[in-house]
Amino acid sequence: MNRSRIAILAAAVSTATWLAFGAGTASATSGAHFFSATASVADNGALVVIFDEAGVGQQTVDLTLNANGTATYACINGGGNHPKASNKQTVSGPVSGSGTFAPTKNGRVTGSLSAGPPASTLTCPSGQTFVLACVSYTGITITDTTNGVTANIEDVSRTFVNIEGC
């Protein structure tokens, strides 16, 4: 009877250990999800997404930021005005950024990624200053490519110089 109790106790301890470590490790990343992800436009016109992802376990995570960007560039004269000439340019296209992040604690990854704005080929005449007048980003997503999890983020925009078309 003593050996029987020891065998049962050993089996129970073995099962508990497997459940605590084996099963927990196997499913540690299966619960990966974005706790939060918010977008803003930085002073240089770049899209910035700040994120908090939970359920990633203790592995490093590869993240990718993708969006469609539209930027309007202009030439501003010495008086701070935009002449009503053709010296402005609107460009659109995909923008992206990526990074690798290590978990901080409790299987969470926090940080930020940035992308854009779309580049311009506009050149300004002598005496005028090249500026980014406004920028907008749509279709913003952040994807954890390690765990196959994506978050969709609301569109953002910002006007730096109030000109027609912004």
Side-chain angles (χ1 to χ4, degrees):
M1 187 147 203
N2 231 357
R3 286 185 182 192
S4 172
R5 285 184 184 171
I6 291 173
I8 291 172
L9 182 58
V13 168
S14 176
T15 301
T17 301
W18 180 83
L19 288 173
F21 295 104
T25 302
S27 64
T29 59
S30 66
H33 62 281
F34 285 96
F35 184 70
S36 66
T38 57
S40 63
V41 177
D43 289 343
N44 67 354
L47 169 65
V48 177
V49 171
I50 298 172
F51 63 87
D52 182 352
E53 184 182 11
V56 300
Q58 295 305 310
Q59 66 182 338
T60 57
V61 178
D62 294 321
L63 295 166
T64 302
L65 169 63
N66 289 296
N68 298 310
T70 299
T72 299
Y73 296 90
C75 298
I76 304 298
N77 65 23
N81 297 312
H82 174 254
K84 302 291 186 226
S86 62
N87 55 356
K88 75 176 182 181
Q89 179 187 44
T90 299
V91 291
S92 297
V95 296
S96 64
S98 62
T100 300
F101 299 85
T104 54
K105 62 179 180 177
N106 301 324
R108 288 179 94 155
V109 174
T110 59
S112 66
L113 287 173
S114 61
S120 171
T121 58
L122 179 68
T123 55
C124 295
S126 178
Q128 294 189 5
T129 304
F130 175 83
V131 298
L132 171 60
C134 58
V135 64
S136 64
Y137 296 97
T138 60
I140 306 166
T141 61
I142 186 168
T143 301
D144 170 347
T145 58
T146 304
N147 294 297
V149 179
T150 298
N152 297 312
I153 304 167
E154 288 188 35
D155 299 346
V156 293
S157 64
R158 185 169 174 186
T159 299
F160 297 98
V161 178
N162 193 12
I163 63 170
E164 186 178 328
C166 283

